């Protein structure tokens, strides 16, 4: 467990302060970039009767209000989809709570509370949002050195805009070449970010869309940072028709009743869409070359510990 002295040391360290300053510039550049591309920023949803299933996170964060059960947001996936009824492009700096297994405390990549830049685009394809992500990272890495020169010098980091389009490999190729821990294996081999495409349905949640002509394979993607920093973003096209959503929920072994309100909403119509989410602490860790996401924000909460 962290002591008050440890918390104080971390909070006042030069390293964390510089990382948070870099992060503040990243947030500003991201806002400008996405607003410039026609996005509207929406406020985060923190509790709802439903959230991302993320079934490998064993404990569900629940609170009871007025006798109703609310869940604490693991991701805003469904609310992004629903917001597209009003606006064609939305983004949000969305706080997520995921009760990770305690063994992940030392991974350097996991926090139980983190923020993702989560976005969704109506009527977009996976390729549309991949292009958008590539343009965003190129813009960010072009502009950051001018505004965060002192901080980047402190970390000794030179982040160059990556070449576009990024390299892409299929999930089955990644597993063949790197085994089960393929994201980390691939990441360690990379000098520039790369995509992993076409995850199998059993390895992802029910909302990523299946190829209509390739059952069991998804129109989704992850982006992996170079130098062993691991996953940068995760996203894809979405299931939006009631029947397909129900089929996918059942195939996951999830009780339809636990998604009653989402399904009731989907019955009234959801737009086709694609989107992704970028973990802000992981992005900060990569830019600053930090050992752990614990140094990439104030009040970082590692799995299995009590933190302020
Ligand atoms: N934000 C991710 C997406 O857009 C979902 C997640 O965080 N689980 O696909």
């Amino acid at each position: 467990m962290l002591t008050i002295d440890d918390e104080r040391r971390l909070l006042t360290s030069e390293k964390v302060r510089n990382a948070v300053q870099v992060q503040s510039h990243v947030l500003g550049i991201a806002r400008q970039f996405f607003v410039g591309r026609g996005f509207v920023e929406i406020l985060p949803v923190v509790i709802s009767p439903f959230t991302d299933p993320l079934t490998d996170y064993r404990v569900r964060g629940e609170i009871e209000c007025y006798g109703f059960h609310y869940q604490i947001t693991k991701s805003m996936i469904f609310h992004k989809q629903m917001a597209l009824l009003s606006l064609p492009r939305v983004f949000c700096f969305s706080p997520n709570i995921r009760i990770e297994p305690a063994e992940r405390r030392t991974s350097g990549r996991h926090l139980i509370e983190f923020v993702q830049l989560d976005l969704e685009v109506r009527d977009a394809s996976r390729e549309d949002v991949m292009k958008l992500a590539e343009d965003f990272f190129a813009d960010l890495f072009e502009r950051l050195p001018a505004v965060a020169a002192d901080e980047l010098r402190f970390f000794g980091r030179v982040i160059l805009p990556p070449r576009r389009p990024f390299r892409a490999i299929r999930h089955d190729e990644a597993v063949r070449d790197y085994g089960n821990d393929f994201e980390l294996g691939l990441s360690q081999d990379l000098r520039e970010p790369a995509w992993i495409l076409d995850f199998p349905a059993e390895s992802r949640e029910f909302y990523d869309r299946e190829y209509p002509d390739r059952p069991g394979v998804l129109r989704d993607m992850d982006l992996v940072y170079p130098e062993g920093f691991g996953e940068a973003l995760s996203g894809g096209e979405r299931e939006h028709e009631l029947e397909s959503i129900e089929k996918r929920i059942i195939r996951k072994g999830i009780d339809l009743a636990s998604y009653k309100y989402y399904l009731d909403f989907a019955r009234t119509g959801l737009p086709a869409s694609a989107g992704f989410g970028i973990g802000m602490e992981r992005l900060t860790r990569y830019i600053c070359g930090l050992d752990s996401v614990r140094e990439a924000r104030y009040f970082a909460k590692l799995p299995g510990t009590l933190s302020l």
Side-chain angles (χ1 to χ4, degrees):
M1 196 177 99
L2 277 185
T3 64
I4 295 292
D5 280 348
D6 291 335
E7 291 270 3
R8 197 181 176 90
R9 207 171 304 121
L10 208 54
L11 183 63
T12 55
S13 80
E14 215 182 336
K15 203 179 191 183
V16 175
R17 182 172 57 247
N18 275 293
V20 168
Q21 282 173 184
V22 168
Q23 188 173 75
S24 174
H25 289 298
V26 171
L27 298 178
I29 293 171
R31 274 203 168 95
Q32 266 183 19
F33 176 86
F34 287 107
V35 169
R37 294 290 182 110
F39 282 77
V40 172
E41 181 173 1
I42 62 172
L43 294 176
V45 170
V46 175
I47 56 169
S48 166
F50 50 82
T51 189
D52 196 325
L54 289 169
T55 26
D56 57 331
Y57 303 103
R58 293 164 296 185
V59 185
R60 291 198 304 173
E62 282 197 1
I63 59 172
E64 203 188 299
C65 304
Y66 321 110
F68 300 119
H69 286 288
Y70 280 88
Q71 295 198 43
I72 301 171
T73 294
K74 292 182 200 165
S75 96
M76 261 179 63
I77 178 70
F78 304 122
H79 296 83
K80 295 192 294 183
Q81 250 187 323
M82 294 187 292
L84 293 183
L85 286 172
S86 173
L87 293 160
R89 299 171 158 235
V90 295
F91 77 99
C92 182
F93 290 104
S94 165
N96 291 182
I97 304 292
R98 300 183 185 175
I99 316 296
E100 300 274 0
E103 308 83 79
R104 292 189 176 165
R105 181 173 48 230
T106 52
S107 73
R109 293 176 294 127
H110 294 95
L111 294 174
I112 67 164
E113 176 187 57
F114 70 96
V115 172
Q116 61 170 316
L117 195 183
D118 214 2
L119 63 82
E120 200 70 17
V121 183
R122 196 197 286 162
D123 293 326
S125 67
R126 174 179 70 181
E127 287 66 28
D128 294 335
V129 293
M130 285 168 64
K131 169 85 170 51
L132 179 74
E134 293 184 1
D135 290 351
F136 166 64
F137 281 105
D139 182 67
L140 175 65
F141 296 156
E142 245 161 56
R143 293 172 58 191
L144 201 55
V147 291
D150 291 347
E151 293 87 348
L152 292 175
R153 201 170 314 115
F154 173 87
F155 290 113
R157 291 289 277 174
V158 180
I159 301 279
L160 298 172
R163 271 168 306 172
R164 287 169 281 172
F166 298 174
R167 185 179 146 203
I169 72 168
R170 287 195 321 267
H171 175 274
D172 57 352
E173 297 169 326
V175 173
R176 182 197 64 204
D177 295 348
Y178 294 100
N180 281 342
D181 206 1
F182 55 88
E183 270 193 1
L184 221 46
L186 171 64
S187 174
Q188 278 156 0
D189 269 2
L190 292 173
R191 290 292 149 260
E192 301 219 307
W195 295 106
I196 302 175
L197 307 177
D198 298 351
F199 284 72
E202 64 272 14
S203 73
R204 301 284 262 212
E205 305 306 329
F206 66 78
Y207 46 78
D208 281 351
R209 183 165 163 260
E210 212 169 17
Y211 277 86
D213 51 350
R214 289 168 69 193
V217 184
L218 303 179
R219 293 209 29 87
D220 64 356
M221 75 287 181
D222 272 8
L223 183 72
V224 176
Y225 290 125
E227 304 172 57
F229 284 95
E231 183 192 313
L233 73 74
S234 187
E237 289 174 20
R238 314 303 181 185
E239 299 290 359
H240 62 281
E241 284 156 345
L242 179 68
E243 235 178 71
S244 336
I245 299 173
E246 282 181 338
K247 236 190 273 167
R248 296 285 306 282
I249 292 181
I250 292 167
R251 249 162 59 196
K252 274 276 162 199
I254 298 174
D255 185 3
L256 284 178
S258 57
Y259 280 95
K260 174 183 168 16
Y261 297 110
Y262 174 60
L263 292 170
D264 284 350
F265 197 96
R267 190 168 294 117
T268 64
L270 277 174
S273 69
F276 57 75
I278 304 174
M280 297 316 287
E281 291 86 347
R282 288 179 175 182
L283 174 55
T284 307
R285 176 184 178 227
Y286 167 60
I287 292 171
C288 301
L290 303 171
D291 289 337
S292 169
V293 281
R294 182 187 176 193
E295 300 163 324
R297 62 169 296 153
Y298 294 139
F299 314 113
K301 293 173 182 70
L302 291 175
T305 59
L306 179 68
S307 313
L308 300 186

